Amino acid sequence: MSSIIQLLPDHVANQIAAGEVVQRPASVVKELLENAVDAKATDIKLIIKDAGKALVQVIDNGQGMNVTDARLCFERHATSKIRKAEDLFSLHTKGFRGEALASIAAIAHVEMKTKQDQEELGTQIIIEGSKFVSQEVAVLPKGTSFAVKNLFFNIPARRNFLKSDTVEYRHIIDEFQRVALAHPNIYFTFFHNGSEMFNLPPSSIRQRIVAVFSGKTNEKLVPVQEETEIVTIQGFACKPEFAKKSRGEQFFFVNDRFIKSGYLHHAIMAAYDGLLKDGAQPSYFLYLTVPPNTIDINIHPTKTEIKFDDEHALYAILRASVKHSLGQFNVAPVLDFDRDSNLDTPYSYKDLEGATPTIQVDSTFNPFSDDKVNKHYSGGASSNYKKPEPTANWESLYVGLKQEVDFISGTTDFSFETEEVTGSLFNEEDVEKTVNTAYQIHKKYIVSPIKSGMVIVDQQRAHQRVLYEQFLTNMTVHQASSQQLLFPLDLFFSANEMELIEDLKLSLVNTGFVFEETSPDHVVISGIPVNVTESEVSLVLEQLLSDLQDGIPDSSFSQNDTIAKSMAKSLAVKTGTSLSIKEQENLVNGLFACKDPNVSPFQKPTFITMRVEDLDKKFAL
């Protein structure tokens, strides 16, 4: 019987590894940028076409490779980063597994150009699907250029799983930002379809954060600094009032490597305890430096997860340092919210005793005496006090007043109507009609009587349904009304958020928004929908961007549906809001005027009914 276990061919093994390492164009961007950083480059350019599906190119001025290394770098498990197993526990570089370039070459057309500084000529290699097409000598500048074209050209199924260009581009921006924030000393430039998206010269950490996330970010940052034997922490946390609905701007860097850690994120949330609204997420940019032998990076192919030796101590230090920074910069609330710092006792007065005030009482003082001035009173600053002179013949002030009234009115006889109520403004039948037909319970439910019993309405879900159908109708019929703002709103967003707003701009205009100006990092809004207040605009857009983190639907109806749901969720009256009788009745009437009043836009029931028979059964027990 023949053997059934065989060694996989190299091209098949590379494609399997590519399934772990290369999930989308952003994965290629990450690997190539990290290789450029490991090559000690000081200037790195990223060039993207069609969201990375057509081209991903990284050009650096690093060390470069000789002819032998240029050929070996595409072999599986070939790396310059480690020599023995012990090196895995003392890593100072990004890539070390030796799978990235081999995996990329297995599923794309790759063209590499590289040259070392001391060499006169460089090497150009072209590979298509793990097959070497050509290797030539070329005149090149110092460094390496990696061009990856037609990703997943030989795996159509994987290519079909890719999202839209907008979503893939957002993932590429995320990876670029992570590398750029981790290395502020490197010059990064980013081009997409011929347009420059980022130009980041070498700078400090704070300047790099501001350059990546627009100019308004600077006023949000609170410095965090702590140094212990276990970890050194530096970076910035954002003020609680700038917290967002989404978790986009949250970055942990361990030894200049971006990581994801739900455990450390919980430590940050614990530091913000009591400072955030429900559902709000703080932004932070924290750089942790730990001994390399206390972490294990090699637990995930993408190397975004790290295992720490002492996570509990790290949790406590991180939580305490962030909480200390928030309190030190007067971000954390104090007991007296109206406290004036000018009234605080200076530290130099803490040991001084207050002087006992002296009290002087004039026992001979008589406020009813006829003396114009009490000569016996000595009251310090009030010793010049003069008793007011009594007004003599005060009746003379009103002399002649009666005659003047008679002259004006022409008569001294007045007749007044009685205050007896002679009739009612409303008939008794009308009064009965004004009896409350709706009642609010616990500021959450509205109870309204109906012919068969009563209906109990969830006010938040009902309002969501009403607003949802209104927005959807406006976007479909293109007849939304706008209210013009006296002073236009200037709202700042990150680069990937601005991409989403650009894609949603037409749908937002159909809901009633008027965009006066759009730039790479902010928008100017001069008109808003009639049922949106000026203070709610930023909340509505933040909620919308949060709901669309996973991508924008392709079809226009699905896009409008998503926007209508998000805006309805943001603007609907919340549980705990007290409503007037008129508002309750309008909400109930508006709900049952909807096409589908039974459920909210999120398929939750909006009301229940109870018949009189059901109530009778309850009392019959």
Side-chain angles (χ1 to χ4, degrees), residues 352-369:
L352 298 180
E353 296 183 359
T356 304
T358 59
I359 302 175
Q360 296 180 356
V361 179
D362 186 2
S363 58
T364 62
F365 174 71
N366 183 5
F368 301 102
S369 65

Side-chain angles (χ1 to χ4, degrees), residues 260-435:
K260 297 177 181 178
S261 175
Y263 188 67
L264 296 184
H265 172 72
H266 189 274
I268 303 297
M269 296 302 293
Y272 278 89
D273 187 25
L275 303 177
L276 299 175
K277 299 179 181 178
D278 292 339
Q281 292 288 334
S283 300
Y284 51 81
F285 311 86
L286 297 175
Y287 297 75
L288 283 64
T289 303
V290 299
N293 59 350
T294 62
I295 57 175
D296 185 4
I297 305 171
N298 194 26
I299 61 174
H300 194 275
T302 60
K303 300 183 288 293
T304 56
E305 297 179 11
I306 289 182
K307 182 172 179 58
F308 298 92
D309 281 356
D310 193 351
E311 285 187 335
H312 297 290
L314 192 61
Y315 180 99
I317 295 172
L318 186 60
R319 175 181 176 274
S321 60
V322 173
K323 197 173 187 66
H324 171 71
S325 296
L326 294 177
Q328 184 179 8
F329 287 87
N330 292 326
V331 175
V334 294
L335 183 61
D336 185 2
F337 292 93
D338 297 327
R339 180 179 63 87
D340 187 354
S341 58
N342 295 325
L343 301 179
D344 292 344
T345 303
Y347 284 110
S348 58
Y349 289 2
K350 65 178 181 178
D351 297 327
L352 298 180
E353 296 183 359
T356 304
T358 59
I359 302 175
Q360 296 180 356
V361 179
D362 186 2
S363 58
T364 62
F365 174 71
N366 183 5
F368 301 102
S369 65
D370 294 333
D371 295 341
K372 297 296 186 288
V373 179
N374 193 338
K375 300 178 181 180
H376 301 284
Y377 177 73
S378 59
S382 301
S383 59
N384 295 327
Y385 168 77
K386 294 182 179 180
K387 183 180 178 182
E389 297 181 6
T391 303
N393 301 324
W394 59 268
E395 296 88 349
S396 62
L397 295 175
Y398 299 94
V399 173
L401 181 62
K402 185 174 184 303
Q403 287 77 2
E404 292 178 4
V405 173
D406 294 343
F407 174 76
I408 295 174
S409 61
T411 179
T412 58
D413 297 330
F414 291 94
S415 61
F416 299 93
E417 293 184 2
T418 61
E419 297 183 358
E420 180 181 356
V421 178
T422 58
S424 175
L425 184 61
F426 301 99
N427 296 327
E428 293 183 1
E429 296 179 357
D430 295 332
V431 174
E432 291 179 357
K433 291 181 180 178
T434 61
V435 175

Side-chain angles (χ1 to χ4, degrees), residues 41-267:
T42 59
D43 190 343
I44 301 176
K45 294 182 176 64
L46 173 62
I47 302 172
I48 301 295
K49 287 185 179 179
D50 297 337
K53 298 175 183 177
L55 172 68
V56 175
Q57 184 175 9
V58 173
I59 304 172
D60 67 69
N61 63 346
Q63 294 176 336
M65 292 178 282
N66 59 27
V67 178
T68 305
D69 290 342
R71 187 66 181 259
L72 277 177
C73 71
F74 291 101
E75 299 295 330
R76 292 194 68 212
H77 304 306
T79 178
S80 62
K81 315 298 172 57
I82 59 175
R83 290 289 183 267
K84 54 186 182 297
E86 289 75 10
D87 294 341
L88 289 172
F89 302 100
S90 183
L91 291 170
H92 300 275
T93 57
K94 307 292 183 186
F96 55 88
R97 296 166 66 98
E99 295 174 304
L101 296 184
S103 301
I104 294 171
I107 54 174
H109 297 168
V110 178
E111 179 181 3
M112 184 186 71
K113 301 176 182 178
T114 183
K115 174 185 171 296
Q116 292 182 328
D117 192 20
Q118 66 272 18
E119 300 290 337
E120 295 184 358
L121 298 175
T123 305
Q124 178 179 353
I125 295 177
I126 298 177
I127 302 177
E128 297 180 357
S130 294
K131 297 180 181 179
F132 278 85
V133 176
S134 65
Q135 178 175 340
E136 300 175 352
V137 176
V139 178
L140 302 170
K142 173 197 171 185
T144 303
S145 170
F146 239 105
V148 179
K149 306 174 183 177
N150 304 323
L151 192 65
F152 298 126
F153 79 99
N154 53 354
I155 312 178
R158 289 290 302 276
R159 191 175 182 88
N160 293 335
F161 274 106
L162 294 179
K163 304 293 184 181
S164 64
D165 286 358
T166 304
V167 177
E168 296 299 337
Y169 175 64
R170 282 182 46 242
H171 284 287
I172 290 175
I173 289 182
D174 289 341
E175 294 295 347
F176 175 80
Q177 290 176 345
R178 292 166 182 174
V179 178
L181 290 173
H183 302 278
N185 59 320
I186 299 178
Y187 199 129
F188 285 94
T189 49
F190 180 15
F191 299 89
H192 182 227
N193 291 338
S195 301
E196 184 180 83
M197 309 307 298
F198 289 95
N199 191 328
L200 308 175
S203 60
S204 64
I205 294 177
R206 189 183 196 115
Q207 292 171 335
R208 177 58 57 89
I209 294 172
V210 173
V212 171
F213 293 102
S214 80
K216 286 291 183 179
T217 307
N218 188 38
E219 64 188 44
K220 307 176 184 178
L221 302 179
V222 175
V224 179
Q225 187 78 30
E226 191 68 42
E227 185 173 354
T228 66
E229 296 179 357
I230 299 176
V231 61
T232 299
I233 302 173
Q234 62 176 338
F236 300 90
C238 285
K239 299 176 182 177
E241 58 264 30
F242 296 102
K244 296 184 176 182
K245 294 285 185 181
S246 61
R247 296 181 57 175
E249 299 176 5
Q250 297 178 344
F251 295 88
F252 280 118
F253 299 96
V254 176
N255 295 353
D256 293 337
R257 181 193 301 274
F258 172 79
I259 68 160
K260 297 177 181 178
S261 175
Y263 188 67
L264 296 184
H265 172 72
H266 189 274

